[in-house]
Amino acid sequence: MSRRALILRYTAFAVLAVVANLATQRVVLHGGAEIDATRFAIALAAGTLVGLVVKYILDKRWIFYDDTSGASAQGRQFFLYSLMGVATTAIFWVTETVFWLIWGTDFAREAGAVLGLMVGYTTKYLLDRRFVFQASRGLS
């Protein structure tokens, strides 16, 4: 796959994961007049988990062309994929939270989320390529 095609595909998958993440957050946050810290944290965690699973499935198959099989090997791989996301998730959470604390609107919160996820996903691709999917065919 060409570099341009890789960037476009990875970006499209990141957008899908962001939409899944933010949609999950909206579901969790829906219905309350006031967003308290507990509900906000639950929304962040739920959205992050949904986005992580969506992105892993897409990356594994369509970015890294990974054919790892077996529950043990895939479990290890998903663990490493998740671990690479810890620092990048912190970037996302901090950015989203700062935007929410400063401006206090859903638009600002989601703008912070998108910005944090853009930086996080770029970093995550580099980490995944090096540490998670390094043995996959098609990319090195």
Side-chain angles (χ1 to χ4, degrees), residues 10-25:
Y10 194 82
T11 300
F13 293 166
V15 167
L16 288 173
V18 167
V19 168
N21 183 322
L22 294 177
T24 301
Q25 286 189 38

Side-chain angles (χ1 to χ4, degrees), residues 25 29 35-45 96-97 100 109:
Q25 286 189 38
L29 295 173
I35 299 173
D36 64 11
T38 301
R39 257 179 75 208
F40 183 75
I42 291 168
L44 278 178
E96 180 175 357
T97 302
W100 181 57
R109 179 185 58 76

Side-chain angles (χ1 to χ4, degrees), residues 60-61 64-70 74 77 133 135-137:
K60 179 178 176 56
R61 171 68 178 95
F64 297 104
Y65 300 102
D66 183 74
D67 57 4
T68 300
S69 60
Q74 288 190 54
Q77 189 175 60
F133 299 107
S136 298
R137 59 183 155 82

Side-chain angles (χ1 to χ4, degrees), residues 30 38 54 99:
H30 181 71
T38 301
V54 167
F99 275 53

Side-chain angles (χ1 to χ4, degrees), residues 30-132:
H30 181 71
E34 191 87 26
I35 299 173
D36 64 11
T38 301
R39 257 179 75 208
F40 183 75
I42 291 168
L44 278 178
T48 299
L49 180 61
V50 169
L52 174 71
V53 171
V54 167
K55 190 77 166 63
Y56 172 75
I57 291 167
L58 294 171
D59 283 356
K60 179 178 176 56
R61 171 68 178 95
W62 297 102
I63 298 297
F64 297 104
Y65 300 102
D66 183 74
D67 57 4
T68 300
S69 60
S72 177
Q74 288 190 54
R76 181 183 181 280
Q77 189 175 60
F78 185 74
F79 173 77
L80 286 173
Y81 186 84
S82 300
L83 188 62
M84 295 302 121
V86 171
T88 59
T89 298
I91 293 168
F92 149 57
W93 281 1
V94 166
T95 307
E96 180 175 357
T97 302
V98 166
F99 275 53
W100 181 57
L101 291 173
I102 291 172
W103 289 285
T105 67
D106 284 337
F107 178 79
R109 179 185 58 76
E110 290 179 355
V114 169
L115 177 62
L117 286 165
M118 286 172 47
V119 172
Y121 277 138
T122 301
T123 304
K124 186 154 180 17
Y125 169 78
L126 298 171
L127 293 170
D128 290 340
R129 185 180 68 184
R130 176 155 182 169
F131 298 109
V132 180

